[in-house]
Amino acid sequence: MARERPHRMSGLSRMAALALVALSACRAETRDAQPQGWDEEVAIPVAADINPDASIVEVELEARVASLELRPGTRTDVWTYNGGLPGPTLRARKGDTLIVHFVNHLPEPTTLHWHGMRVPAEMDGSLAMQRPIQPGESFDYILPLPDAGTFWYHPHFHSNAQVGNGLYGAIVVEDPSEPDLGDDLVLVLSDMSVREDGSLAPPDEDGWFGDYFGREGQLLLVNGRVRPRVRAREGVPQRWRIINAARSRYQRFSVPGQLLVRIAGDGGLIEHPQAMGEVLLAPGERAEVFLSPRAQDSGPVTVQWQNFDRFHLGSLRAPQDLLVFELTGDAPGAGPMSPPTPLRTIDALDTSGATAQRVELMEMVVDGQTVFAINGSNLPDENPLHARVGETNLWEVTNSTAYDHPFHLHGFFFQVLEVGGRAPTVREWKDTINVPAHQTLRFAVAYDDRPGMWMFHCHILDHAELGMMGSLMLMP
Ligand code: C2O
Ligand code: CU
Ligand code: CU
């Protein structure tokens, strides 16, 4: 079992590290502190770094069943990393190497996938690149960290069932050269099918219908907790790193009385901050928001999950509580009310001479059963797309079904050119994006030197398992 401690110092030479200590110390001096215990109801433990080398973060992860109290007053046997739900947060700095000693003590095989991270293909954890890790077996993942941002880890074997059973954790890669954007708060949003008595519904509940619609657990969890409280102090900004780790559920919420300013997406900072009425995340997506609390007289506010009609059936599902946001009585801080702009410069990919890739997200009938498929196949490795290292591709992903599907590409960030005929309003790096029913997504991607087989799929994990998964063979 890994030792867990809340903070670590690594990622740079000793001297640079000292400079950083000085920098964060002066940040703390120039900006007021969060209220005492502001995140104690939500904070996720950080995996302990067992390597003294400042540029290597080395952690131990053990997948095992643990009994946790999710629904108050009951126990649930969930699948965990190191006994926690979510698993420990992996925290490192851009440029570090992350080494994960993984051991599988689950009753079935598994792998680890590093969602959004540009890892070598043989470390990606998909079944195209890795033999499943059997119960009792170990595997060492060695991951360079070229990008700062909020990422996450989860299995890529029976992923709908295993993620649904609780296997996911956050990865934060910091970039010390980023401006001060508030105090970090990782928020992993998920849901679980926990019955009244605390038992977990079977992962294949409702059979084909469950797969086809995508199973949403009725118990909403924020960092594995029901309706936890986040405390804040007026004028002292928080940086929420939000991950949608639900197997099928879209997450949509606002914070009543507060302004949310999006500062980062899947692959680190976006070019310019974007004020948002609400956060909407398809499964697998991330957003970082800057929240500089403003005074409100109504006391604690409840942040609620809001329905998103991914079926286009006019469904109106009732809001459900996610968390409680509470301003304390501390004297207001003098922190910035808005983040600096621009946050970052991102050059547009040069698409002159780029070759096209076409992907159709579709339904088809196989042996009398409707399944989801890509380009006429429900087998992930049947018709791989082909590309070459160094190439730039223009992907055109058409959703010919009547439902929305979040499209995810492994291993590479892309720049969205348009979704449903509309160009994005800010430039950013994405790895997962919703493709609305009957709409087309166009994006550009440049392949760096990591040949191998890379998966792409719908991140409604029940859909991926039902066949909406394909692969890209990247040749050297
Ligand atoms: Cu997070 Cu293949 O996925
Ligand atoms: Cu992924
Ligand atoms: Cu889907």
Side-chain angles (χ1 to χ4, degrees), residues 30-32 34 180-183 232-239 257-263 273-276 289-296 325 327 331-341 343:
T30 51
R31 191 158 56 62
D32 295 293
Q34 298 292 337
D180 175 12
L181 292 164
D183 292 299
R233 175 175 175 185
E234 188 186 337
V236 183
Q238 299 187 357
R239 178 180 187 168
Q258 302 295 338
L259 181 67
L260 301 177
V261 182
R262 191 170 74 99
I263 52 171
Q274 275 187 320
M276 318 263 289
V289 298
F290 174 97
L291 194 172
S292 189
R294 304 157 177 238
Q296 46 190 20
F325 182 75
L327 277 188
M337 293 307 286
S338 56
T341 186
L343 290 160

mmCIF file of all heavy atoms in Angstrom, residues 30-32 34 180-183 232-239 257-263 273-276 289-296 325 327 331-341 343:
data_model
loop_
_atom_site.group_PDB
_atom_site.id
_atom_site.type_symbol
_atom_site.label_atom_id
_atom_site.label_comp_id
_atom_site.label_asym_id
_atom_site.label_seq_id
_atom_site.Cartn_x
_atom_site.Cartn_y
_atom_site.Cartn_z
ATOM 1 N N THR A 30 1.392 37.180 -1.363
ATOM 2 C CA THR A 30 0.683 38.239 -2.059
ATOM 3 C C THR A 30 -0.814 37.952 -2.148
ATOM 4 O O THR A 30 -1.582 38.802 -2.543
ATOM 5 C CB THR A 30 1.219 38.420 -3.492
ATOM 6 O OG1 THR A 30 1.226 37.140 -4.119
ATOM 7 C CG2 THR A 30 2.615 38.996 -3.495
ATOM 8 N N ARG A 31 -1.203 36.758 -1.809
ATOM 9 C CA ARG A 31 -2.618 36.450 -1.937
ATOM 10 C C ARG A 31 -3.106 35.822 -0.634
ATOM 11 O O ARG A 31 -2.395 35.067 0.009
ATOM 12 C CB ARG A 31 -2.823 35.465 -3.094
ATOM 13 C CG ARG A 31 -4.250 35.296 -3.462
ATOM 14 C CD ARG A 31 -4.443 34.787 -4.871
ATOM 15 N NE ARG A 31 -3.775 33.534 -5.191
ATOM 16 C CZ ARG A 31 -4.027 32.392 -4.595
ATOM 17 N NH1 ARG A 31 -4.899 32.320 -3.622
ATOM 18 N NH2 ARG A 31 -3.399 31.305 -4.966
ATOM 19 N N ASP A 32 -4.319 36.145 -0.252
ATOM 20 C CA ASP A 32 -4.849 35.624 1.000
ATOM 21 C C ASP A 32 -5.135 34.133 0.887
ATOM 22 O O ASP A 32 -5.322 33.599 -0.200
ATOM 23 C CB ASP A 32 -6.123 36.375 1.360
ATOM 24 C CG ASP A 32 -5.832 37.845 1.636
ATOM 25 O OD1 ASP A 32 -5.150 38.121 2.633
ATOM 26 O OD2 ASP A 32 -6.268 38.683 0.829
ATOM 27 N N GLN A 34 -7.051 30.446 1.594
ATOM 28 C CA GLN A 34 -8.397 29.878 1.657
ATOM 29 C C GLN A 34 -8.791 29.732 3.131
ATOM 30 O O GLN A 34 -7.934 29.667 4.007
ATOM 31 C CB GLN A 34 -8.414 28.487 0.995
ATOM 32 C CG GLN A 34 -8.056 28.495 -0.479
ATOM 33 C CD GLN A 34 -9.092 29.187 -1.350
ATOM 34 O OE1 GLN A 34 -10.258 29.292 -0.976
ATOM 35 N NE2 GLN A 34 -8.663 29.692 -2.502
ATOM 36 N N ASP A 180 -0.448 32.511 -11.498
ATOM 37 C CA ASP A 180 -1.259 32.084 -10.362
ATOM 38 C C ASP A 180 -2.731 32.071 -10.783
ATOM 39 O O ASP A 180 -3.298 33.105 -11.131
ATOM 40 C CB ASP A 180 -1.044 33.062 -9.201
ATOM 41 C CG ASP A 180 -1.960 32.749 -8.023
ATOM 42 O OD1 ASP A 180 -2.573 31.666 -8.015
ATOM 43 O OD2 ASP A 180 -2.051 33.602 -7.116
ATOM 44 N N LEU A 181 -3.330 30.906 -10.763
ATOM 45 C CA LEU A 181 -4.725 30.799 -11.196
ATOM 46 C C LEU A 181 -5.613 30.264 -10.080
ATOM 47 O O LEU A 181 -6.645 29.666 -10.333
ATOM 48 C CB LEU A 181 -4.799 29.903 -12.448
ATOM 49 C CG LEU A 181 -4.145 30.529 -13.692
ATOM 50 C CD1 LEU A 181 -3.882 29.496 -14.768
ATOM 51 C CD2 LEU A 181 -5.001 31.670 -14.227
ATOM 52 N N GLY A 182 -5.184 30.472 -8.859
ATOM 53 C CA GLY A 182 -6.004 30.057 -7.722
ATOM 54 C C GLY A 182 -5.508 28.763 -7.107
ATOM 55 O O GLY A 182 -4.609 28.113 -7.634
ATOM 56 N N ASP A 183 -6.112 28.417 -5.965
ATOM 57 C CA ASP A 183 -5.711 27.193 -5.261
ATOM 58 C C ASP A 183 -6.413 25.990 -5.884
ATOM 59 O O ASP A 183 -7.626 25.990 -6.082
ATOM 60 C CB ASP A 183 -6.067 27.313 -3.770
ATOM 61 C CG ASP A 183 -5.224 28.369 -3.085
ATOM 62 O OD1 ASP A 183 -3.990 28.208 -3.076
ATOM 63 O OD2 ASP A 183 -5.787 29.364 -2.586
ATOM 64 N N ALA A 232 -15.199 28.516 0.793
ATOM 65 C CA ALA A 232 -14.462 29.520 0.033
ATOM 66 C C ALA A 232 -14.516 30.842 0.768
ATOM 67 O O ALA A 232 -15.348 31.043 1.658
ATOM 68 C CB ALA A 232 -15.057 29.673 -1.359
ATOM 69 N N ARG A 233 -13.620 31.708 0.370
ATOM 70 C CA ARG A 233 -13.541 33.034 0.982
ATOM 71 C C ARG A 233 -13.643 34.051 -0.137
ATOM 72 O O ARG A 233 -12.986 33.922 -1.166
ATOM 73 C CB ARG A 233 -12.186 33.136 1.685
ATOM 74 C CG ARG A 233 -11.882 34.466 2.278
ATOM 75 C CD ARG A 233 -10.560 34.342 3.026
ATOM 76 N NE ARG A 233 -10.152 35.631 3.524
ATOM 77 C CZ ARG A 233 -8.976 35.832 4.128
ATOM 78 N NH1 ARG A 233 -8.127 34.830 4.283
ATOM 79 N NH2 ARG A 233 -8.657 37.035 4.574
ATOM 80 N N GLU A 234 -14.457 35.022 0.098
ATOM 81 C CA GLU A 234 -14.651 36.055 -0.919
ATOM 82 C C GLU A 234 -13.303 36.594 -1.393
ATOM 83 O O GLU A 234 -12.429 36.911 -0.599
ATOM 84 C CB GLU A 234 -15.498 37.201 -0.325
ATOM 85 C CG GLU A 234 -15.904 38.229 -1.354
ATOM 86 C CD GLU A 234 -16.618 39.430 -0.713
ATOM 87 O OE1 GLU A 234 -17.174 39.286 0.397
ATOM 88 O OE2 GLU A 234 -16.600 40.502 -1.336
ATOM 89 N N GLY A 235 -13.144 36.681 -2.717
ATOM 90 C CA GLY A 235 -11.937 37.301 -3.279
ATOM 91 C C GLY A 235 -10.693 36.431 -3.261
ATOM 92 O O GLY A 235 -9.622 36.908 -3.585
ATOM 93 N N VAL A 236 -10.828 35.156 -2.872
ATOM 94 C CA VAL A 236 -9.656 34.273 -2.893
ATOM 95 C C VAL A 236 -9.922 33.161 -3.907
ATOM 96 O O VAL A 236 -10.709 32.253 -3.659
ATOM 97 C CB VAL A 236 -9.348 33.680 -1.498
ATOM 98 C CG1 VAL A 236 -8.084 32.831 -1.553
ATOM 99 C CG2 VAL A 236 -9.204 34.790 -0.470
ATOM 100 N N PRO A 237 -9.289 33.245 -5.080
ATOM 101 C CA PRO A 237 -9.670 32.371 -6.194
ATOM 102 C C PRO A 237 -9.325 30.897 -5.982
ATOM 103 O O PRO A 237 -8.327 30.562 -5.349
ATOM 104 C CB PRO A 237 -8.886 32.947 -7.378
ATOM 105 C CG PRO A 237 -7.838 33.807 -6.812
ATOM 106 C CD PRO A 237 -8.274 34.245 -5.456
ATOM 107 N N GLN A 238 -10.193 30.065 -6.530
ATOM 108 C CA GLN A 238 -9.978 28.623 -6.543
ATOM 109 C C GLN A 238 -9.886 28.169 -8.001
ATOM 110 O O GLN A 238 -10.539 28.720 -8.883
ATOM 111 C CB GLN A 238 -11.134 27.890 -5.845
ATOM 112 C CG GLN A 238 -11.276 28.294 -4.388
ATOM 113 C CD GLN A 238 -12.301 27.461 -3.617
ATOM 114 O OE1 GLN A 238 -12.984 26.590 -4.169
ATOM 115 N NE2 GLN A 238 -12.404 27.742 -2.322
ATOM 116 N N ARG A 239 -9.055 27.179 -8.212
ATOM 117 C CA ARG A 239 -8.888 26.606 -9.556
ATOM 118 C C ARG A 239 -9.444 25.184 -9.527
ATOM 119 O O ARG A 239 -8.818 24.267 -9.018
ATOM 120 C CB ARG A 239 -7.404 26.572 -9.902
ATOM 121 C CG ARG A 239 -7.109 25.950 -11.259
ATOM 122 C CD ARG A 239 -5.596 25.956 -11.511
ATOM 123 N NE ARG A 239 -5.264 25.534 -12.859
ATOM 124 C CZ ARG A 239 -4.038 25.671 -13.388
ATOM 125 N NH1 ARG A 239 -3.058 26.213 -12.680
ATOM 126 N NH2 ARG A 239 -3.798 25.259 -14.623
ATOM 127 N N GLY A 257 -24.924 32.254 -8.230
ATOM 128 C CA GLY A 257 -24.355 33.471 -7.643
ATOM 129 C C GLY A 257 -22.882 33.689 -7.948
ATOM 130 O O GLY A 257 -22.319 34.710 -7.583
ATOM 131 N N GLN A 258 -22.248 32.722 -8.610
ATOM 132 C CA GLN A 258 -20.810 32.839 -8.874
ATOM 133 C C GLN A 258 -20.529 32.780 -10.367
ATOM 134 O O GLN A 258 -21.265 32.151 -11.117
ATOM 135 C CB GLN A 258 -20.044 31.705 -8.170
ATOM 136 C CG GLN A 258 -20.244 31.662 -6.664
ATOM 137 C CD GLN A 258 -19.672 32.891 -5.948
ATOM 138 O OE1 GLN A 258 -18.794 33.579 -6.470
ATOM 139 N NE2 GLN A 258 -20.194 33.180 -4.772
ATOM 140 N N LEU A 259 -19.421 33.414 -10.735
ATOM 141 C CA LEU A 259 -19.019 33.393 -12.137
ATOM 142 C C LEU A 259 -17.943 32.326 -12.325
ATOM 143 O O LEU A 259 -16.955 32.293 -11.595
ATOM 144 C CB LEU A 259 -18.464 34.762 -12.538
ATOM 145 C CG LEU A 259 -18.024 34.865 -13.999
ATOM 146 C CD1 LEU A 259 -19.221 34.768 -14.939
ATOM 147 C CD2 LEU A 259 -17.264 36.164 -14.239
ATOM 148 N N LEU A 260 -18.163 31.446 -13.281
ATOM 149 C CA LEU A 260 -17.151 30.438 -13.602
ATOM 150 C C LEU A 260 -16.417 30.893 -14.858
ATOM 151 O O LEU A 260 -17.041 31.270 -15.844
ATOM 152 C CB LEU A 260 -17.812 29.082 -13.869
ATOM 153 C CG LEU A 260 -18.648 28.517 -12.727
ATOM 154 C CD1 LEU A 260 -19.318 27.209 -13.148
ATOM 155 C CD2 LEU A 260 -17.778 28.289 -11.489
ATOM 156 N N VAL A 261 -15.113 30.897 -14.799
ATOM 157 C CA VAL A 261 -14.328 31.292 -15.960
ATOM 158 C C VAL A 261 -13.468 30.099 -16.355
ATOM 159 O O VAL A 261 -12.590 29.669 -15.604
ATOM 160 C CB VAL A 261 -13.432 32.506 -15.649
ATOM 161 C CG1 VAL A 261 -12.658 32.919 -16.893
ATOM 162 C CG2 VAL A 261 -14.269 33.668 -15.121
ATOM 163 N N ARG A 262 -13.731 29.581 -17.538
ATOM 164 C CA ARG A 262 -12.960 28.413 -17.967
ATOM 165 C C ARG A 262 -11.577 28.856 -18.406
ATOM 166 O O ARG A 262 -11.415 29.797 -19.182
ATOM 167 C CB ARG A 262 -13.658 27.681 -19.115
ATOM 168 C CG ARG A 262 -13.032 26.315 -19.415
ATOM 169 C CD ARG A 262 -13.893 25.524 -20.372
ATOM 170 N NE ARG A 262 -13.814 26.040 -21.726
ATOM 171 C CZ ARG A 262 -13.041 25.515 -22.700
ATOM 172 N NH1 ARG A 262 -12.297 24.450 -22.453
ATOM 173 N NH2 ARG A 262 -13.041 26.044 -23.907
ATOM 174 N N ILE A 263 -10.561 28.178 -17.867
ATOM 175 C CA ILE A 263 -9.177 28.527 -18.187
ATOM 176 C C ILE A 263 -8.433 27.395 -18.875
ATOM 177 O O ILE A 263 -7.384 27.605 -19.484
ATOM 178 C CB ILE A 263 -8.391 28.952 -16.918
ATOM 179 C CG1 ILE A 263 -8.534 27.893 -15.815
ATOM 180 C CG2 ILE A 263 -8.880 30.309 -16.423
ATOM 181 C CD1 ILE A 263 -7.628 28.142 -14.621
ATOM 182 N N PRO A 273 -9.252 33.136 -21.371
ATOM 183 C CA PRO A 273 -10.288 32.685 -20.439
ATOM 184 C C PRO A 273 -11.671 32.913 -21.027
ATOM 185 O O PRO A 273 -11.881 33.841 -21.802
ATOM 186 C CB PRO A 273 -10.077 33.559 -19.199
ATOM 187 C CG PRO A 273 -8.975 34.511 -19.495
ATOM 188 C CD PRO A 273 -8.446 34.252 -20.858
ATOM 189 N N GLN A 274 -12.590 32.058 -20.646
ATOM 190 C CA GLN A 274 -13.961 32.140 -21.158
ATOM 191 C C GLN A 274 -14.936 32.159 -19.979
ATOM 192 O O GLN A 274 -15.020 31.163 -19.260
ATOM 193 C CB GLN A 274 -14.302 30.884 -21.960
ATOM 194 C CG GLN A 274 -13.898 30.884 -23.400
ATOM 195 C CD GLN A 274 -14.435 29.659 -24.116
ATOM 196 O OE1 GLN A 274 -14.446 28.561 -23.570
ATOM 197 N NE2 GLN A 274 -14.886 29.839 -25.340
ATOM 198 N N ALA A 275 -15.664 33.247 -19.827
ATOM 199 C CA ALA A 275 -16.691 33.274 -18.776
ATOM 200 C C ALA A 275 -17.808 32.329 -19.179
ATOM 201 O O ALA A 275 -18.214 32.303 -20.338
ATOM 202 C CB ALA A 275 -17.221 34.688 -18.615
ATOM 203 N N MET A 276 -18.272 31.522 -18.248
ATOM 204 C CA MET A 276 -19.248 30.488 -18.576
ATOM 205 C C MET A 276 -20.420 30.551 -17.611
ATOM 206 O O MET A 276 -20.223 30.685 -16.416
ATOM 207 C CB MET A 276 -18.653 29.086 -18.386
ATOM 208 C CG MET A 276 -17.250 28.917 -18.879
ATOM 209 S SD MET A 276 -17.262 28.215 -20.504
ATOM 210 C CE MET A 276 -17.785 26.558 -20.123
ATOM 211 N N VAL A 289 -11.760 25.533 -14.182
ATOM 212 C CA VAL A 289 -12.410 26.824 -14.070
ATOM 213 C C VAL A 289 -11.793 27.630 -12.931
ATOM 214 O O VAL A 289 -11.360 27.083 -11.915
ATOM 215 C CB VAL A 289 -13.951 26.732 -13.878
ATOM 216 C CG1 VAL A 289 -14.609 26.060 -15.060
ATOM 217 C CG2 VAL A 289 -14.311 26.019 -12.603
ATOM 218 N N PHE A 290 -11.749 28.919 -13.165
ATOM 219 C CA PHE A 290 -11.266 29.885 -12.193
ATOM 220 C C PHE A 290 -12.505 30.459 -11.529
ATOM 221 O O PHE A 290 -13.417 30.919 -12.206
ATOM 222 C CB PHE A 290 -10.484 30.954 -12.947
ATOM 223 C CG PHE A 290 -10.032 32.123 -12.125
ATOM 224 C CD1 PHE A 290 -8.746 32.167 -11.598
ATOM 225 C CD2 PHE A 290 -10.888 33.204 -11.909
ATOM 226 C CE1 PHE A 290 -8.319 33.272 -10.870
ATOM 227 C CE2 PHE A 290 -10.464 34.305 -11.166
ATOM 228 C CZ PHE A 290 -9.176 34.332 -10.647
ATOM 229 N N LEU A 291 -12.550 30.376 -10.208
ATOM 230 C CA LEU A 291 -13.716 30.858 -9.483
ATOM 231 C C LEU A 291 -13.209 31.807 -8.397
ATOM 232 O O LEU A 291 -12.565 31.366 -7.447
ATOM 233 C CB LEU A 291 -14.453 29.669 -8.869
ATOM 234 C CG LEU A 291 -15.868 29.852 -8.337
ATOM 235 C CD1 LEU A 291 -16.467 28.510 -7.953
ATOM 236 C CD2 LEU A 291 -15.983 30.813 -7.187
ATOM 237 N N SER A 292 -13.454 33.096 -8.594
ATOM 238 C CA SER A 292 -13.084 34.059 -7.565
ATOM 239 C C SER A 292 -14.364 34.437 -6.830
ATOM 240 O O SER A 292 -15.206 35.162 -7.365
ATOM 241 C CB SER A 292 -12.427 35.292 -8.199
ATOM 242 O OG SER A 292 -11.892 36.104 -7.180
ATOM 243 N N PRO A 293 -14.567 33.892 -5.615
ATOM 244 C CA PRO A 293 -15.877 33.999 -4.963
ATOM 245 C C PRO A 293 -16.316 35.445 -4.739
ATOM 246 O O PRO A 293 -15.536 36.290 -4.316
ATOM 247 C CB PRO A 293 -15.667 33.287 -3.634
ATOM 248 C CG PRO A 293 -14.484 32.411 -3.853
ATOM 249 C CD PRO A 293 -13.611 33.140 -4.814
ATOM 250 N N ARG A 294 -17.574 35.706 -5.069
ATOM 251 C CA ARG A 294 -18.188 37.006 -4.799
ATOM 252 C C ARG A 294 -19.140 36.844 -3.639
ATOM 253 O O ARG A 294 -19.698 35.755 -3.469
ATOM 254 C CB ARG A 294 -19.029 37.450 -5.994
ATOM 255 C CG ARG A 294 -18.225 37.464 -7.197
ATOM 256 C CD ARG A 294 -18.985 37.337 -8.473
ATOM 257 N NE ARG A 294 -17.936 37.460 -9.480
ATOM 258 C CZ ARG A 294 -17.920 38.378 -10.435
ATOM 259 N NH1 ARG A 294 -18.912 39.188 -10.586
ATOM 260 N NH2 ARG A 294 -16.919 38.466 -11.266
ATOM 261 N N ALA A 295 -19.332 37.952 -2.937
ATOM 262 C CA ALA A 295 -20.220 37.919 -1.779
ATOM 263 C C ALA A 295 -21.620 37.479 -2.198
ATOM 264 O O ALA A 295 -22.089 37.822 -3.281
ATOM 265 C CB ALA A 295 -20.282 39.309 -1.157
ATOM 266 N N GLN A 296 -22.246 36.675 -1.381
ATOM 267 C CA GLN A 296 -23.655 36.362 -1.632
ATOM 268 C C GLN A 296 -24.334 36.275 -0.277
ATOM 269 O O GLN A 296 -23.749 35.816 0.695
ATOM 270 C CB GLN A 296 -23.818 35.093 -2.454
ATOM 271 C CG GLN A 296 -22.977 33.923 -1.997
ATOM 272 C CD GLN A 296 -23.005 32.775 -3.007
ATOM 273 O OE1 GLN A 296 -23.331 32.969 -4.157
ATOM 274 N NE2 GLN A 296 -22.689 31.586 -2.545
ATOM 275 N N PHE A 325 -21.575 24.683 -1.899
ATOM 276 C CA PHE A 325 -20.553 25.719 -1.970
ATOM 277 C C PHE A 325 -20.882 26.759 -0.910
ATOM 278 O O PHE A 325 -21.964 27.345 -0.913
ATOM 279 C CB PHE A 325 -20.558 26.343 -3.365
ATOM 280 C CG PHE A 325 -19.503 27.390 -3.568
ATOM 281 C CD1 PHE A 325 -18.173 27.037 -3.736
ATOM 282 C CD2 PHE A 325 -19.842 28.734 -3.588
ATOM 283 C CE1 PHE A 325 -17.199 28.011 -3.928
ATOM 284 C CE2 PHE A 325 -18.874 29.707 -3.775
ATOM 285 C CZ PHE A 325 -17.548 29.345 -3.950
ATOM 286 N N LEU A 327 -19.626 30.129 1.367
ATOM 287 C CA LEU A 327 -18.707 31.229 1.668
ATOM 288 C C LEU A 327 -18.606 31.370 3.181
ATOM 289 O O LEU A 327 -19.618 31.427 3.873
ATOM 290 C CB LEU A 327 -19.240 32.535 1.087
ATOM 291 C CG LEU A 327 -18.966 32.832 -0.377
ATOM 292 C CD1 LEU A 327 -19.404 34.249 -0.700
ATOM 293 C CD2 LEU A 327 -17.502 32.635 -0.714
ATOM 294 N N ALA A 331 -12.713 37.630 6.452
ATOM 295 C CA ALA A 331 -12.602 38.931 5.774
ATOM 296 C C ALA A 331 -12.266 38.691 4.312
ATOM 297 O O ALA A 331 -11.473 37.809 3.996
ATOM 298 C CB ALA A 331 -11.512 39.759 6.439
ATOM 299 N N PRO A 332 -12.876 39.457 3.414
ATOM 300 C CA PRO A 332 -12.622 39.238 1.990
ATOM 301 C C PRO A 332 -11.145 39.369 1.652
ATOM 302 O O PRO A 332 -10.455 40.227 2.195
ATOM 303 C CB PRO A 332 -13.421 40.352 1.304
ATOM 304 C CG PRO A 332 -14.422 40.805 2.310
ATOM 305 C CD PRO A 332 -13.835 40.542 3.662
ATOM 306 N N GLY A 333 -10.682 38.498 0.763
ATOM 307 C CA GLY A 333 -9.310 38.582 0.285
ATOM 308 C C GLY A 333 -9.246 39.551 -0.877
ATOM 309 O O GLY A 333 -10.269 39.925 -1.449
ATOM 310 N N ALA A 334 -8.022 39.925 -1.209
ATOM 311 C CA ALA A 334 -7.854 40.916 -2.282
ATOM 312 C C ALA A 334 -7.375 40.251 -3.564
ATOM 313 O O ALA A 334 -6.708 40.873 -4.379
ATOM 314 C CB ALA A 334 -6.877 41.988 -1.829
ATOM 315 N N GLY A 335 -7.711 38.991 -3.726
ATOM 316 C CA GLY A 335 -7.224 38.243 -4.890
ATOM 317 C C GLY A 335 -7.812 38.768 -6.175
ATOM 318 O O GLY A 335 -8.779 39.528 -6.171
ATOM 319 N N PRO A 336 -7.242 38.363 -7.313
ATOM 320 C CA PRO A 336 -7.767 38.819 -8.596
ATOM 321 C C PRO A 336 -9.174 38.269 -8.816
ATOM 322 O O PRO A 336 -9.484 37.170 -8.414
ATOM 323 C CB PRO A 336 -6.787 38.222 -9.603
ATOM 324 C CG PRO A 336 -6.148 37.066 -8.908
ATOM 325 C CD PRO A 336 -6.155 37.389 -7.448
ATOM 326 N N MET A 337 -10.031 39.090 -9.434
ATOM 327 C CA MET A 337 -11.382 38.647 -9.730
ATOM 328 C C MET A 337 -11.447 37.906 -11.056
ATOM 329 O O MET A 337 -12.424 37.251 -11.355
ATOM 330 C CB MET A 337 -12.345 39.840 -9.761
ATOM 331 C CG MET A 337 -12.545 40.499 -8.398
ATOM 332 S SD MET A 337 -13.024 39.320 -7.100
ATOM 333 C CE MET A 337 -14.735 38.997 -7.549
ATOM 334 N N SER A 338 -10.400 38.083 -11.859
ATOM 335 C CA SER A 338 -10.408 37.384 -13.139
ATOM 336 C C SER A 338 -8.997 36.937 -13.477
ATOM 337 O O SER A 338 -8.025 37.535 -13.018
ATOM 338 C CB SER A 338 -10.986 38.276 -14.230
ATOM 339 O OG SER A 338 -10.244 39.469 -14.282
ATOM 340 N N PRO A 339 -8.880 35.878 -14.262
ATOM 341 C CA PRO A 339 -7.555 35.378 -14.628
ATOM 342 C C PRO A 339 -6.904 36.272 -15.672
ATOM 343 O O PRO A 339 -7.595 37.017 -16.367
ATOM 344 C CB PRO A 339 -7.849 33.992 -15.203
ATOM 345 C CG PRO A 339 -9.275 34.015 -15.619
ATOM 346 C CD PRO A 339 -9.966 35.074 -14.834
ATOM 347 N N PRO A 340 -5.585 36.221 -15.786
ATOM 348 C CA PRO A 340 -4.902 37.021 -16.805
ATOM 349 C C PRO A 340 -5.255 36.524 -18.199
ATOM 350 O O PRO A 340 -5.670 35.384 -18.382
ATOM 351 C CB PRO A 340 -3.420 36.772 -16.521
ATOM 352 C CG PRO A 340 -3.363 35.477 -15.789
ATOM 353 C CD PRO A 340 -4.651 35.374 -15.024
ATOM 354 N N THR A 341 -5.107 37.398 -19.176
ATOM 355 C CA THR A 341 -5.329 37.000 -20.558
ATOM 356 C C THR A 341 -4.272 37.626 -21.453
ATOM 357 O O THR A 341 -3.872 38.754 -21.186
ATOM 358 C CB THR A 341 -6.755 37.397 -21.016
ATOM 359 O OG1 THR A 341 -6.988 36.867 -22.313
ATOM 360 C CG2 THR A 341 -6.970 38.892 -20.999
ATOM 361 N N LEU A 343 -3.871 33.413 -21.717
ATOM 362 C CA LEU A 343 -3.322 32.429 -20.791
ATOM 363 C C LEU A 343 -2.146 31.698 -21.419
ATOM 364 O O LEU A 343 -1.257 31.212 -20.740
ATOM 365 C CB LEU A 343 -4.407 31.407 -20.431
ATOM 366 C CG LEU A 343 -5.546 31.930 -19.552
ATOM 367 C CD1 LEU A 343 -6.766 31.028 -19.674
ATOM 368 C CD2 LEU A 343 -5.103 32.019 -18.100
#
